Amino acid sequence: AAEGAPQEAIELYVDTATRQLFAEPGPGRQRLGKFAQVTDTPAPVAATTAAPTVATATASSTAQPAVAARSASSATPATKAWYDKIGIRGYLQMRYNQEVGGDAKDLKSPGDRYIGREQGFGIRRARVVISGDVTDKMSIYIQPDFASTPTGSSTGNFAQLRDAYADLWLDKDKTYRIRAGQSKIPYGWEDLQSSQNRLALDRADALNSAVRDERDLGVFFYWTPKEIKERYAYLVKSGLKGSGDYGVFGVGVYNGQGANRPDRNDQLHSVIHFSYPFKFANGQYLEVGADAYSGRYKVTTGSATIDGRTFTPTVDAPVAGSTDRRVAAHVVYYPQPFGFQAEWTVGQGPELDVARRVVRTQSLRGGYAQVMYKFDGDYGSLMPYAKWQTYRGAAKFDTNAPKMQVDEIEAGIEWQPSNAVELAVAWANMRRTDVSTAPYRRIDGQLLRMQLQVNY
Amino acid sequence: AAEGAPQEAIELYVDTATRQLFAEPGPGRQRLGKFAQVTDTPAPVAATTAAPTVATATASSTAQPAVAARSASSATPATKAWYDKIGIRGYLQMRYNQEVGGDAKDLKSPGDRYIGREQGFGIRRARVVISGDVTDKMSIYIQPDFASTPTGSSTGNFAQLRDAYADLWLDKDKTYRIRAGQSKIPYGWEDLQSSQNRLALDRADALNSAVRDERDLGVFFYWTPKEIKERYAYLVKSGLKGSGDYGVFGVGVYNGQGANRPDRNDQLHSVIHFSYPFKFANGQYLEVGADAYSGRYKVTTGSATIDGRTFTPTVDAPVAGSTDRRVAAHVVYYPQPFGFQAEWTVGQGPELDVARRVVRTQSLRGGYAQVMYKFDGDYGSLMPYAKWQTYRGAAKFDTNAPKMQVDEIEAGIEWQPSNAVELAVAWANMRRTDVSTAPYRRIDGQLLRMQLQVNY
Amino acid sequence: AAEGAPQEAIELYVDTATRQLFAEPGPGRQRLGKFAQVTDTPAPVAATTAAPTVATATASSTAQPAVAARSASSATPATKAWYDKIGIRGYLQMRYNQEVGGDAKDLKSPGDRYIGREQGFGIRRARVVISGDVTDKMSIYIQPDFASTPTGSSTGNFAQLRDAYADLWLDKDKTYRIRAGQSKIPYGWEDLQSSQNRLALDRADALNSAVRDERDLGVFFYWTPKEIKERYAYLVKSGLKGSGDYGVFGVGVYNGQGANRPDRNDQLHSVIHFSYPFKFANGQYLEVGADAYSGRYKVTTGSATIDGRTFTPTVDAPVAGSTDRRVAAHVVYYPQPFGFQAEWTVGQGPELDVARRVVRTQSLRGGYAQVMYKFDGDYGSLMPYAKWQTYRGAAKFDTNAPKMQVDEIEAGIEWQPSNAVELAVAWANMRRTDVSTAPYRRIDGQLLRMQLQVNY
């Protein structure tokens, strides 16, 4: 049922000559209004007599009836107001891509559905985050994206979950926790970094092709020592574009078919994660780490026409799905002011063998390297960057898991006039397989890309 | 248009020696920061001259221009801040079912789509509630579920409404109200109890098969005397798992095809509801009541293959739909510490007659009984329970309204270390018809079921 | 990651005899509770030594360790609490239409999907608005509708974006701004007015057929002088049902295929907008203005059977789409107490030519006129109104862009017992083409229409 919690408040009066504050009106006093109480209910005078030197006989004689009545019901411990338990924030990304060379009109990229033919403005992400420390031992994080499209719908911008998890803290210092729900899989540094903070427009395919939407449903354990928690927090708040706290060490199990997809076998994927942010004497941060995951993935197949032959590939794998396992390593030298960032992954996964018309486990490899520089001034923050990425391996999420070849260079600049607004412009030279449609051609093209992001 | 309401605030300074508070800086004073004003705008001194002994001539001479200007526009009554009008809260349920015997892999249950073959973790409910007393006479309640899937979509976890209604209070004591919108149909006690509070993992099918998602769109009238309102509130807040306030008496009309479904005839369903929570001298609560509804329901039919014959059944009913009416009774002896709960329903509804290949009105019956015990201690609250349920009647929501036979025993225990976290483990012996697919076989199987729920 | 921002707060104590406030307990003092800090963190005493006469030696000796520790990390500028940066509000509209004459059961109207055969109650709009002035230079506005249905889904009431935009303010007085994102296209006065404020149940088709859901994705520039901003704000707040502030002058570019639809060509639509609210000496407001837009629209075609012939029309237009351009003018004499409102539009757009089986650009025209009166009393506000509308032109959003002929009269009354509740009853005589299904018949019928709206 709908119920509204009553708010405690007091009226304040200021003596206009002395500027002293009073709790009731009087000569020369001006009313300032009602002021809000946060987390606590007032203790009645009778209750404070337990304290040795505090209460006096005069107190009760002047106590107002309203206060007494209020305090009678305040024996229970104080509870936080709802808006102190949870907070709401979010961000909105709007894009525009302009073809500037090659076959750019035929390009397709998993990271941006507004690349390609007949495109105008696009809302890439419209995120709303509901999060908070509900109790000392439980925090929640619910993040829908309002730029999602259900399969088969001709209109988009529906709300679909990205994150929906709880952190159950196991110790007072919040260094050990169990995370349960749909959350990011701790594999790959850039995958863990929020798109709100990423400098490049899209994630590198080599790492992003491991986990659909970076997330899955499962149970995870994370450990972060107190000092390292503060480092992770600083690396985000400072504008250095950190990844947030996914533990110095993390381990977990999850369904394995990707965010918002039902599981399709009776086996769970498992993942292990290490990352450590070193802090040098001069204040420079350097983060290094490695991750690995393993499981069985069920590929979706469908009819494809390649070189004049139409076929639906068979999948050469047990009923539980194809072997799907990768290891990755990352190094991030934070932009203070010059920065460098690189990741590499190798592994095995299901991939279409066109010649044999079969999907079978094959090896894959790829990664990226990025350099960036952070200028700070009255104009805000300016960060030019250049990123090179490569990938040779399957796009397992796509029908028939076609082989994906990516070689891409992007150079751009992000301008943050304030914490709330970011404008990025980039030039990209893409050479990538169109994995969305057979015959899975490789396209070359150049794009001018723009993004406006607002944070709230 | 986007607009932000200006917030009134004052700066406070404390004298570090005397700890007295001041409204402006001075020697020996330390600034404490700005403090928020709640609901009120300051009254100018001139306005307070109406009060007998308060105002003095000196006051107006020191009044600041800013204050005077501000108060000129504050003749209108104070309005509440948005976060005092509405509040946001919710809960998240994550499940895992493990087959432990019989044909458990073939089981299908309307209450949990994560039962059956090839299942991993599942988000059963991801609820966000926006609610509040907007005025003294109107309260709202908007509850989307972020774990819903549009028909035909291969990805899930979209936001879809469960509740969206307003309560229009007819008297000052809020004992009479009209509820308009999509809300729970007051039929069946367990159907009215929130899933946030229910002990057993799913609702009993006999009662839950009456109203799709427990809700429909309509207009309702509820009456609850003041004393009973308090009892209903207590039964939820105390952890006794009450159903909330749906009136000692309720009556209403609604579309009848279920929540989030368009109506399919020009007739409304009607419902009547009684429930009374007795309180004994020793503090023990006992709730008893009965409900009834009646209307015409339009069944969806489709091609089915049973015993080698493929057919689409005809519906033996007027164009407005099949007769659909039930009565139900409930008794709840609240767990203080031992509890008992039972419901039974009988009625008539559309049901597939396989031999005649026709859907026609047939009788139905079923219910459940549950015992539970509430242990409270330093570890929080522990509630073991056992529930038996049976149903013989149609699954009218499913294509062709097949006959559903359910006999189920569930025994489990729920642990609430705090109000924010609940972990439930249960063993279930299910014997139920798979009503989702012809030939509508009856399956026997045993499951180990787990649920983690977090409340925020 | 989930993080909760710590809230600054102080405890206040009142001397029960003098009613003076103190920041710590003492004899004769009663605790009032913790009080919230708004936007600011306390300055440590050490920091304020820079200020000439303030700090004293005694200060540090009495400073509490907690305060000192807190202030050490508060060198960064103060930030607003999340609930002061953004606010949440919304409204809910519930409808019921009753056929009272003619072929009302066969009527179809783009403005209300609950008109027609086999209808019961309907939720027309379930809006939640997240908005606020995030910084002095950026405001956001995110408005999902929770009464939307993805294409192909048999259940509805999913959350889909209506608005998702940011206002970037270019000057201190907020008279110049760039609006980026999905927002209302500044064409037509009634289209800009919120449905929360509109008196008639639906918008006039002549103007509403220009922009799908009144919105599109683009970039806009608006200019509103300070005095006019106040007028626009007053016209909404006063209950006079203004349109909000879309600038005295506005200009923009947008995709052109409608809200939540991907663009389908490489051209943008462009729009220009003027509107001015005059204020007469007696306080009466009069708003006049004009708008125009131009672009190329891609029509969707499909198989249709008309007069026994089945065909899919061809589109006689370049690959970028059909010419789509209109001009419109509006005049609004606000109801103080008598009001008058009218709009007219002419232009060209794609329209089905049944004889030639081709969609080609044809001229269109239409508009509406409305009279209304505002009674205010103890019962709240009562507004009777009558509206006539006509349209001759295409329904370009619908498959094959059939010609739409609308002649409609609606007379009704809206009762607002408070700002939070509105009840409207209207009688409508509709004569309109059913543009949803070939052969696109024109239907005549009378309806009794009811709407309950609650605002929160």
Side-chain angles (χ1 to χ4, degrees):
Chain A
E3 24 186 304
Q7 288 289 314
E8 298 289 343
I10 51 165
E11 297 207 350
L12 294 185
Y13 300 85
V14 61
D15 184 293
T16 50
T18 66
R19 305 302 293 165
Q20 278 195 16
L21 288 169
F22 295 84
E24 65 176 13
R29 292 182 199 162
Q30 186 176 349
R31 183 163 170 275
L32 287 168
K34 267 192 183 148
F35 287 78
Q37 183 172 355
V38 214
T39 60
D40 232 336
T41 47
V45 176
T48 52
T49 50
T53 64
V54 176
T56 67
T58 61
S60 59
S61 64
T62 56
Q64 295 165 325
V67 171
R70 206 170 46 193
S71 51
S73 65
S74 66
T76 51
T79 53
K80 281 198 266 189
W82 74 266
Y83 43 81
D84 289 328
K85 277 199 287 191
I86 61 170
I88 296 176
R89 59 181 185 82
Y91 66 100
L92 181 67
Q93 284 183 348
M94 187 177 164
R95 296 214 173 157
Y96 191 86
N97 296 303
Q98 180 62 47
E99 303 84 10
V100 291
D103 295 322
K105 278 190 178 302
D106 293 325
L107 280 170
K108 290 273 182 188
S109 173
D112 189 345
R113 63 184 176 278
Y114 301 108
I115 288 176
R117 198 171 292 279
E118 319 293 11
Q119 297 283 358
F121 297 106
I123 297 179
R124 178 65 186 82
R125 290 177 178 89
R127 299 289 171 84
V128 176
V129 178
I130 304 174
S131 67
D133 297 328
V134 180
T135 68
D136 287 346
K137 296 197 170 162
M138 197 274 284
S139 308
I140 56 114
Y141 197 91
I142 312 281
Q143 178 180 223
D145 181 36
F146 282 81
S148 301
T149 305
T151 326
S153 177
S154 61
T155 67
N157 294 334
F158 286 90
Q160 186 181 35
L161 282 182
R162 286 299 167 275
D163 296 287
Y165 63 79
D167 278 336
L168 306 170
W169 302 98
L170 304 180
D171 61 335
K172 268 215 154 163
D173 283 348
K174 298 192 174 184
T175 61
Y176 300 95
R177 73 188 124 147
I178 288 168
R179 176 168 291 184
Q182 182 164 299
S183 75
K184 288 198 170 176
I185 300 304
Y187 164 85
W189 188 89
E190 198 185 49
D191 286 4
L192 296 180
Q193 182 192 36
S194 169
S195 291
Q196 190 175 13
N197 295 329
R198 190 178 54 253
L199 199 46
L201 286 171
D202 298 315
R203 293 187 173 92
D205 295 276
L207 290 119
N208 205 222
S209 58
V211 185
R212 183 76 171 234
D213 290 331
E214 302 88 58
R215 292 166 178 91
D216 212 313
L217 188 52
V219 177
F220 309 87
F221 168 84
Y222 290 110
W223 172 63
T224 321
K226 207 172 171 185
E227 187 188 350
I228 306 304
K229 281 174 78 83
E230 283 160 18
R231 288 188 194 173
Y232 278 130
Y234 174 78
L235 288 169
V236 171
K237 283 184 199 165
S238 59
L240 290 175
K241 299 186 174 291
S243 70
D245 177 6
Y246 288 83
V248 162
F249 169 69
V251 63
V253 291
Y254 58 101
N255 284 345
Q257 292 295 127
N260 301 317
R261 274 87 179 165
D263 201 0
R264 289 178 58 192
N265 60 22
D266 276 334
Q267 294 191 11
L268 297 174
H269 273 55
S270 51
V271 64
I272 189 164
H273 164 80
F274 296 94
S275 198
Y276 195 89
F278 293 95
K279 186 183 178 185
F280 299 150
N282 64 354
Q284 173 70 45
Y285 285 87
L286 171 73
E287 185 171 353
V288 294
D291 326 281
Y293 79 83
S294 176
R296 290 201 170 269
Y297 184 84
K298 296 274 282 187
V299 171
T300 299
T301 56
S303 177
T305 300
I306 303 179
D307 299 334
R309 293 195 316 183
T310 301
F311 62 95
T312 299
T314 54
V315 179
D316 179 15
V319 69
S322 306
T323 297
D324 175 25
R325 57 188 178 200
R326 303 189 185 189
V327 297
H330 60 263
V331 54
V332 182
Y333 186 84
Y334 283 91
Q336 301 168 291
F338 170 80
F340 170 77
Q341 177 180 332
E343 297 188 67
W344 194 257
T345 190
V346 295
Q348 290 178 300
E351 184 182 304
L352 175 63
D353 181 336
V354 173
R356 302 196 204 169
R357 289 174 274 177
V358 65
V359 174
R360 59 188 182 85
T361 296
Q362 300 187 53
S363 64
L364 55 85
R365 67 176 194 281
Y368 72 91
Q370 177 180 300
V371 290
M372 58 276 198
Y373 198 93
K374 190 171 193 293
F375 296 97
D376 293 310
D378 289 345
Y379 47 79
S381 167
L382 265 183
M383 291 184 76
Y385 69 95
K387 182 181 185 177
W388 162 83
Q389 66 150 312
T390 184
Y391 181 49
R392 295 288 179 280
K396 71 180 176 188
F397 311 135
D398 291 279
T399 303
N400 298 330
K403 178 163 190 178
M404 191 180 192
Q405 299 193 49
V406 177
D407 293 287
E408 187 175 310
I409 293 175
E410 183 176 290
I413 185 160
E414 183 192 276
W415 175 40
Q416 288 191 25
S418 77
N419 286 336
V421 179
E422 300 178 21
L423 185 67
V425 181
W427 171 91
N429 183 22
M430 293 187 175
R431 187 174 192 173
R432 50 169 66 246
T433 309
D434 173 4
V435 294
S436 66
T437 324
Y440 311 119
R441 289 194 305 136
R442 207 171 67 180
I443 318 286
D444 287 23
Q446 290 83 45
L447 290 175
L448 188 64
R449 310 182 67 185
M450 276 160 279
Q451 177 177 288
L452 174 69
Q453 179 180 309
V454 293
N455 308 312
Y456 61 91
Chain B
E3 25 186 302
Q7 288 288 318
E8 298 291 342
I10 51 165
E11 297 206 349
L12 295 184
Y13 299 84
V14 60
D15 185 293
T16 49
T18 66
R19 307 301 295 163
Q20 278 196 17
L21 288 169
F22 294 85
E24 65 177 13
R29 293 183 200 160
Q30 187 175 348
R31 184 162 169 275
L32 287 169
K34 267 193 184 148
F35 286 77
Q37 183 173 355
V38 214
T39 60
D40 232 334
T41 46
V45 176
T48 53
T49 50
T53 63
V54 175
T56 69
T58 63
S60 60
S61 64
T62 57
Q64 295 163 325
V67 171
R70 211 168 42 191
S71 51
S73 65
S74 66
T76 51
T79 52
K80 283 198 266 188
W82 75 267
Y83 44 80
D84 289 329
K85 276 201 286 192
I86 60 170
I88 297 177
R89 59 180 185 83
Y91 66 99
L92 181 66
Q93 284 182 348
M94 187 179 166
R95 295 213 175 158
Y96 192 85
N97 296 302
Q98 180 62 46
E99 304 85 9
V100 291
D103 295 323
K105 278 191 177 303
D106 293 324
L107 279 170
K108 290 274 182 187
S109 174
D112 188 346
R113 63 184 175 278
Y114 301 108
I115 288 175
R117 198 171 292 280
E118 319 292 12
Q119 297 283 358
F121 297 106
I123 297 179
R124 178 63 187 86
R125 291 178 177 89
R127 299 287 172 84
V128 177
V129 178
I130 304 174
S131 67
D133 297 328
V134 180
T135 68
D136 287 346
K137 297 198 170 162
M138 197 274 283
S139 308
I140 56 112
Y141 197 94
I142 312 282
Q143 179 181 224
D145 182 37
F146 282 80
S148 300
T149 305
T151 325
S153 177
S154 62
T155 67
N157 293 335
F158 286 90
Q160 186 181 34
L161 282 182
R162 287 299 168 273
D163 297 287
Y165 64 79
D167 279 335
L168 306 170
W169 303 98
L170 304 180
D171 60 336
K172 268 215 154 164
D173 283 347
K174 299 192 173 182
T175 61
Y176 299 94
R177 74 188 123 146
I178 288 168
R179 175 168 292 184
Q182 181 165 298
S183 74
K184 287 197 171 176
I185 301 303
Y187 164 85
W189 188 89
E190 198 186 49
D191 286 4
L192 296 181
Q193 183 193 34
S194 169
S195 292
Q196 191 175 13
N197 295 328
R198 191 179 52 254
L199 198 48
L201 286 171
D202 298 317
R203 291 186 174 92
D205 295 277
L207 290 120
N208 204 221
S209 58
V211 186
R212 183 75 170 234
D213 289 331
E214 301 87 59
R215 293 164 177 92
D216 212 313
L217 188 51
V219 177
F220 308 88
F221 168 83
Y222 291 110
W223 173 63
T224 321
K226 208 171 173 187
E227 187 189 351
I228 306 303
K229 281 174 80 82
E230 284 160 17
R231 287 187 195 173
Y232 278 130
Y234 174 78
L235 288 169
V236 171
K237 282 184 198 166
S238 59
L240 290 175
K241 298 185 174 293
S243 70
D245 177 6
Y246 288 84
V248 162
F249 169 69
V251 63
V253 291
Y254 59 100
N255 285 344
Q257 291 295 126
N260 301 318
R261 273 88 179 164
D263 201 358
R264 289 177 56 193
N265 60 22
D266 275 334
Q267 294 192 11
L268 297 174
H269 273 55
S270 51
V271 64
I272 188 165
H273 164 81
F274 297 94
S275 198
Y276 196 88
F278 294 95
K279 185 183 179 185
F280 299 150
N282 64 353
Q284 173 70 46
Y285 286 88
L286 171 73
E287 186 171 352
V288 293
D291 325 282
Y293 80 81
S294 176
R296 289 200 170 270
Y297 184 85
K298 295 275 281 187
V299 171
T300 299
T301 56
S303 176
T305 300
I306 303 179
D307 298 335
R309 294 195 316 185
T310 300
F311 63 95
T312 299
T314 54
V315 178
D316 178 15
V319 69
S322 307
T323 297
D324 175 25
R325 58 188 176 199
R326 302 190 185 187
V327 297
H330 59 264
V331 54
V332 182
Y333 186 84
Y334 284 91
Q336 301 169 290
F338 170 79
F340 170 77
Q341 178 180 331
E343 296 188 66
W344 194 257
T345 190
V346 295
Q348 291 178 299
E351 184 183 304
L352 175 62
D353 182 335
V354 174
R356 302 196 204 169
R357 290 174 272 177
V358 67
V359 174
R360 60 189 182 84
T361 296
Q362 300 188 51
S363 64
L364 56 84
R365 67 175 194 282
Y368 72 92
Q370 177 180 301
V371 290
M372 58 276 200
Y373 198 93
K374 190 171 194 292
F375 295 98
D376 292 311
D378 289 345
Y379 48 79
S381 167
L382 266 183
M383 292 185 76
Y385 69 95
K387 182 181 186 176
W388 163 82
Q389 66 150 310
T390 185
Y391 181 48
R392 295 288 179 281
K396 71 180 176 190
F397 311 136
D398 292 278
T399 303
N400 298 330
K403 177 162 191 180
M404 190 180 193
Q405 300 194 48
V406 177
D407 293 287
E408 187 174 310
I409 293 175
E410 184 176 290
I413 185 160
E414 183 191 276
W415 175 39
Q416 288 192 25
S418 77
N419 285 336
V421 179
E422 299 177 21
L423 185 67
V425 181
W427 170 90
N429 183 22
M430 292 187 175
R431 188 173 191 173
R432 51 168 65 247
T433 308
D434 173 4
V435 294
S436 66
T437 325
Y440 311 120
R441 289 194 305 137
R442 207 171 67 180
I443 317 287
D444 287 24
Q446 290 83 46
L447 291 174
L448 187 65
R449 311 183 67 185
M450 277 160 279
Q451 176 176 289
L452 173 69
Q453 179 179 310
V454 293
N455 308 312
Y456 61 90
Chain C
E3 25 186 302
Q7 288 291 314
E8 298 290 344
I10 50 163
E11 297 206 349
L12 295 185
Y13 299 83
V14 61
D15 184 294
T16 49
T18 66
R19 306 302 296 165
Q20 277 195 17
L21 288 170
F22 294 85
E24 63 177 17
R29 291 183 200 162
Q30 186 176 348
R31 184 162 169 273
L32 286 168
K34 267 193 182 148
F35 287 77
Q37 183 172 356
V38 215
T39 61
D40 232 336
T41 46
V45 175
T48 51
T49 50
T53 63
V54 177
T56 68
T58 61
S60 61
S61 64
T62 57
Q64 296 165 322
V67 171
R70 210 168 47 191
S71 50
S73 64
S74 67
T76 52
T79 53
K80 281 198 266 189
W82 74 268
Y83 43 82
D84 289 328
K85 276 199 288 191
I86 61 169
I88 297 176
R89 59 180 185 82
Y91 66 101
L92 181 66
Q93 283 183 347
M94 187 178 165
R95 294 214 174 158
Y96 192 87
N97 296 303
Q98 180 63 46
E99 305 84 9
V100 291
D103 295 323
K105 279 192 177 303
D106 293 324
L107 280 170
K108 291 272 183 188
S109 174
D112 189 344
R113 62 184 176 278
Y114 301 109
I115 288 176
R117 199 170 291 278
E118 319 292 13
Q119 297 282 0
F121 297 106
I123 296 179
R124 178 64 186 84
R125 290 177 179 90
R127 299 289 172 84
V128 176
V129 179
I130 304 174
S131 67
D133 297 330
V134 180
T135 68
D136 286 347
K137 297 197 169 162
M138 196 275 283
S139 309
I140 56 115
Y141 196 92
I142 312 281
Q143 178 180 226
D145 182 36
F146 281 80
S148 300
T149 305
T151 325
S153 177
S154 61
T155 67
N157 294 333
F158 286 90
Q160 186 181 36
L161 282 181
R162 286 302 168 271
D163 297 287
Y165 63 80
D167 279 337
L168 305 171
W169 302 99
L170 304 179
D171 61 335
K172 268 216 156 162
D173 283 348
K174 298 192 174 183
T175 62
Y176 300 95
R177 73 188 123 146
I178 288 169
R179 175 169 293 185
Q182 182 165 298
S183 74
K184 287 198 170 175
I185 301 303
Y187 164 84
W189 188 90
E190 198 186 49
D191 286 4
L192 295 180
Q193 182 193 35
S194 169
S195 291
Q196 189 176 13
N197 296 329
R198 191 178 53 254
L199 198 46
L201 287 171
D202 298 316
R203 292 186 173 92
D205 296 276
L207 290 120
N208 204 221
S209 58
V211 185
R212 183 76 170 231
D213 290 331
E214 302 89 57
R215 294 166 176 91
D216 212 314
L217 187 52
V219 177
F220 309 87
F221 167 83
Y222 291 110
W223 172 64
T224 321
K226 207 172 173 186
E227 187 188 352
I228 306 304
K229 282 174 79 83
E230 284 160 16
R231 288 188 194 172
Y232 278 130
Y234 173 79
L235 288 169
V236 171
K237 283 184 198 165
S238 59
L240 290 175
K241 298 184 174 294
S243 70
D245 176 6
Y246 288 83
V248 163
F249 168 70
V251 63
V253 291
Y254 59 99
N255 285 345
Q257 291 294 127
N260 302 317
R261 273 89 179 163
D263 201 359
R264 289 178 57 192
N265 60 23
D266 275 335
Q267 295 192 12
L268 297 174
H269 273 55
S270 51
V271 65
I272 188 164
H273 164 81
F274 297 93
S275 198
Y276 196 88
F278 294 95
K279 186 184 178 185
F280 299 150
N282 64 353
Q284 174 69 47
Y285 286 88
L286 171 74
E287 185 170 353
V288 294
D291 326 282
Y293 78 82
S294 176
R296 289 200 171 269
Y297 184 86
K298 296 274 281 186
V299 171
T300 299
T301 55
S303 177
T305 301
I306 303 179
D307 299 334
R309 294 196 315 184
T310 301
F311 62 96
T312 298
T314 53
V315 178
D316 179 15
V319 70
S322 307
T323 297
D324 174 25
R325 56 187 177 199
R326 302 191 186 188
V327 297
H330 60 262
V331 55
V332 182
Y333 186 85
Y334 283 91
Q336 301 169 292
F338 170 80
F340 170 78
Q341 178 180 331
E343 297 188 66
W344 194 257
T345 190
V346 296
Q348 291 178 299
E351 183 182 304
L352 175 62
D353 182 334
V354 174
R356 301 196 204 169
R357 288 173 277 177
V358 65
V359 174
R360 58 188 184 83
T361 296
Q362 300 188 50
S363 64
L364 55 85
R365 65 175 195 282
Y368 72 92
Q370 175 180 302
V371 290
M372 59 275 199
Y373 198 93
K374 189 172 193 293
F375 295 98
D376 292 311
D378 290 343
Y379 47 79
S381 167
L382 266 183
M383 292 185 76
Y385 70 95
K387 182 181 186 177
W388 161 84
Q389 66 152 310
T390 184
Y391 181 47
R392 295 288 180 280
K396 71 180 176 189
F397 312 135
D398 291 278
T399 303
N400 299 330
K403 177 163 190 179
M404 190 180 192
Q405 300 194 46
V406 177
D407 294 287
E408 186 175 312
I409 294 175
E410 183 177 290
I413 185 159
E414 182 192 275
W415 175 39
Q416 287 192 26
S418 78
N419 286 337
V421 179
E422 300 178 20
L423 185 67
V425 181
W427 170 91
N429 183 22
M430 293 187 174
R431 188 174 191 171
R432 51 168 66 245
T433 310
D434 173 4
V435 294
S436 65
T437 325
Y440 311 119
R441 288 194 304 137
R442 207 171 67 181
I443 317 286
D444 287 23
Q446 290 83 46
L447 290 174
L448 188 65
R449 311 182 67 186
M450 276 160 279
Q451 176 176 289
L452 174 69
Q453 179 180 310
V454 293
N455 308 312
Y456 61 91

